[in-house]
């Protein structure tokens, strides 16, 4: 209700606003159904999706790691308190929110999930804050975190090339700096790499990467 009323919804943000909250929420719901997530885990995930960018101020974390993710978790705390959410579940929700931070969080969540699901090496904990570090010891929470991380980028990176370009324009407007094909390609290759849970959308992601690569090649020529 408060998000619909504009509270903490980033109304002045071209990208991180209530529409983004809704898109991530719906994407998380779809992915949770795709992997048949348990009902309670799904509820935790959808709460995290709804609040992951709550009170986003339209800037970046800059030199303060997880600044925006902490802001979102702190802003959501009174709502969770009022709903009687336990400290354990709050920590779980916060860990998922932290997993949407693309420099460390998204990568770490993916590494944790691959460790549990595919016997990949256990990820290093250096530079990983609590409660995000808890993913290394909880396979189900790691799965939830990967779902949210992928849901966070799915609307712009996994649907259509045209919508991906539109989202890139909105993000550039919000950051007040040009974001060209080279920036998009670097983000897709370094942060997204490949969908883990949302493999269904891999062809879409491949098409978006190929389009960005072609644009970069033309600019270099």
């Amino acid at each position: 209700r408060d998000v619909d009323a504009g509270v903490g919804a980033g109304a002045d943000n071209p990208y991180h606003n209530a529409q983004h909250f809704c898109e991530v929420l719906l994407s998380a719901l779809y992915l949770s159904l795709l992997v048949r997530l348990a009902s309670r885990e799904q509820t935790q995930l959808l709460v995290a999706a709804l609040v992951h960018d709550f009170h986003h101020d339209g800037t970046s974390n800059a030199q303060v790691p997880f600044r925006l993710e902490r802001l979102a978790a702190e802003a959501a705390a009174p709502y969770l308190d009022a709903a009687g959410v336990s400290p354990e579940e709050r920590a779980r929700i916060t860990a998922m929110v932290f997993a949407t931070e693309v420099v460390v969080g998204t990568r770490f969540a993916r590494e944790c999930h691959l460790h549990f699901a595919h016997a990949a090496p256990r990820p290093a904990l250096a530079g990983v804050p609590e409660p995000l570090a808890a993913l290394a010891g909880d396979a189900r929470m790691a799965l939830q975190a990967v779902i949210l991380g992928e849901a966070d980028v799915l609307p712009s990176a996994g649907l259509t090339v045209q919508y991906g370009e539109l989202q890139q324009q909105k993000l550039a407007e919000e950051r007040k700096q040009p974001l060209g094909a080279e920036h998009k390609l670097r983000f897709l290759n370094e942060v997204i790499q490949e969908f883990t849970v949302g493999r269904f959308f891999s062809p879409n992601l491949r098409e978006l990467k190929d389009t960005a690569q072609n644009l970069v090649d033309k600019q270099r020529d």
Side-chain angles (χ1 to χ4, degrees):
R1 184 171 61 243
D2 280 356
V3 169
D4 287 340
V7 177
D12 295 330
N13 297 336
Y15 184 88
H16 291 100
N17 51 37
Q19 178 179 332
H20 175 67
F21 298 178
C22 184
E23 290 180 341
V24 175
L25 181 67
L26 292 174
S27 296
L29 175 60
Y30 179 84
L31 294 177
S32 72
L33 295 172
L34 197 65
V35 300
R36 297 182 173 86
L37 206 62
S39 177
R40 192 169 190 85
E41 292 175 332
Q42 183 188 72
T43 300
Q44 295 163 352
L45 168 67
L46 297 182
V47 171
L50 181 63
V51 305
H52 81 286
D53 277 329
F54 199 38
H55 286 267
H56 196 293
D57 58 16
T59 63
S60 68
N61 282 334
Q63 303 303 313
V64 184
F66 296 93
R67 180 184 69 84
L68 290 169
E69 292 71 29
R70 292 186 191 279
L71 176 64
E74 291 170 0
Y79 298 87
L80 301 182
D81 286 343
V85 178
S86 69
E88 293 76 17
E89 284 195 301
R90 284 180 53 177
R92 199 176 192 92
I93 291 166
T94 302
M96 283 184 263
V97 171
F98 274 41
T100 63
E101 190 276 336
V102 297
V103 177
V104 174
T106 302
R107 172 190 55 78
F108 182 72
R110 182 187 298 113
E111 289 177 352
C112 289
H113 174 63
L114 292 176
H115 167 68
F116 290 116
H118 301 287
R122 185 181 179 87
L125 296 178
V128 179
E130 288 290 352
L132 183 66
L135 300 182
D138 190 323
R140 300 303 298 179
M141 185 165 26
L143 173 60
Q144 289 174 302
V146 166
I147 291 174
L148 182 55
E150 295 190 359
D152 191 20
V153 299
L154 182 57
S156 61
L159 298 181
T160 68
V161 171
Q162 293 75 18
Y163 195 66
E165 292 174 347
L166 175 62
Q167 296 293 73
Q168 180 85 340
Q169 293 170 10
K170 291 181 179 179
L171 192 57
E173 182 182 350
E174 182 172 294
R175 293 186 178 181
K176 298 179 175 59
Q177 66 182 68
L179 298 175
E182 191 164 348
H183 177 275
K184 185 74 170 184
L185 185 62
R186 185 167 60 252
F187 177 77
L188 293 172
N189 286 334
E190 294 179 4
V191 177
I192 307 306
Q193 299 176 13
E194 179 55 270
F195 287 124
T196 301
V197 175
R199 292 181 296 276
F200 177 83
F201 297 97
S202 293
N204 307 57
L205 181 61
R206 181 72 266 164
E207 184 180 9
L208 188 61
K209 284 185 177 183
D210 289 345
T211 300
Q213 184 66 66
N214 290 337
L215 287 173
V216 169
D217 293 341
K218 288 181 180 179
Q219 291 170 359
R220 289 173 178 172
D221 292 341

